[in-house]
Amino acid sequence: MMYAEDVRSWRTTDYFDLIISAVGLHVALLGIKATTDNTRRLAKRYLWGTVLVGIAWNLFYYYLNVEAEKEADEARVDANDDDTIPPMTDSQFYAQAFFAILLPGLMWVMCCLRAWQFHHLLEEAEFEAEQRTRNELGGIMEQQETTTTMMTTMMTTNQSPTITTTTTQ
């Protein structure tokens, strides 16, 4: 059971967390729409959205981890009466915050990689479809040109088109 004194008050950093989460939700819905519609434009938006939200999320939580390490170090130093434990240096704060964000950061890299693969897959599929359409249209255009050339030749020589069949016994 939670009591009123157990709930922390709203901080300024919570606004940033709310914004990053809302944009992340929008990007996730964009990804769902991109997989449903299978368009390269939506896939590209999803890719860039995933990259930007991933960077923002990692930077924000890196900052939060550095601040939490500083607060924890201050509490540890204040609780240490005999001064046997020296306070941490800034580089130690940054290193601990980096290692705390490393695994989630790698997950974001994997998400960005998958978004790039999806975009690349759609790009290849659209290219192949364009090539196939060009080849089919090229074949139709060649048939039309051949037919037109044959008809023009027959008309200039005043021949009527006839179908001849040959049979061999």
Side-chain angles (χ1 to χ4, degrees), residues 150-166:
M150 263 181 26
M151 294 301 283
T152 306
T153 305
M154 285 184 210
M155 291 173 75
T156 56
T157 59
N158 289 329
Q159 294 178 350
S160 61
T162 58
I163 300 174
T164 58
T165 59
T166 58

Side-chain angles (χ1 to χ4, degrees), residues 11-124:
R11 299 181 201 164
T12 307
T13 56
D14 294 333
Y15 290 108
F16 293 109
D17 194 15
L18 179 65
I19 291 168
I20 290 170
S21 297
V23 173
L25 178 65
H26 174 72
V27 170
L29 293 174
L30 187 64
I32 292 171
K33 188 174 182 181
T35 58
T36 303
D37 293 349
N38 286 331
T39 61
R40 192 172 59 178
R41 181 180 59 86
L42 286 176
K44 191 172 199 170
R45 285 183 182 176
Y46 172 63
L47 169 63
W48 284 110
T50 304
V51 168
L52 293 176
V53 169
I55 290 170
W57 189 90
N58 281 300
L59 290 175
F60 177 68
Y61 278 95
Y62 180 77
Y63 167 77
L64 288 182
N65 284 337
V66 168
E67 293 301 315
E69 288 295 332
K70 286 181 180 179
E71 288 176 13
D73 188 55
E74 286 176 11
R76 185 180 51 83
V77 168
D78 290 343
N80 184 18
D81 294 334
D82 57 0
D83 292 332
T84 56
I85 302 173
M88 291 173 56
T89 63
D90 283 343
S91 63
Q92 289 172 327
F93 290 133
Y94 299 137
Q96 281 192 354
F98 173 75
F99 288 119
I101 203 71
L102 186 62
L103 185 60
L106 290 175
M107 292 300 296
W108 274 103
V109 168
M110 189 177 78
C111 290
C112 293
L113 177 66
R114 296 295 292 166
W116 177 82
Q117 287 175 335
F118 177 66
H119 175 263
H120 188 68
L121 177 72
L122 288 180
E123 198 171 54
E124 284 180 346

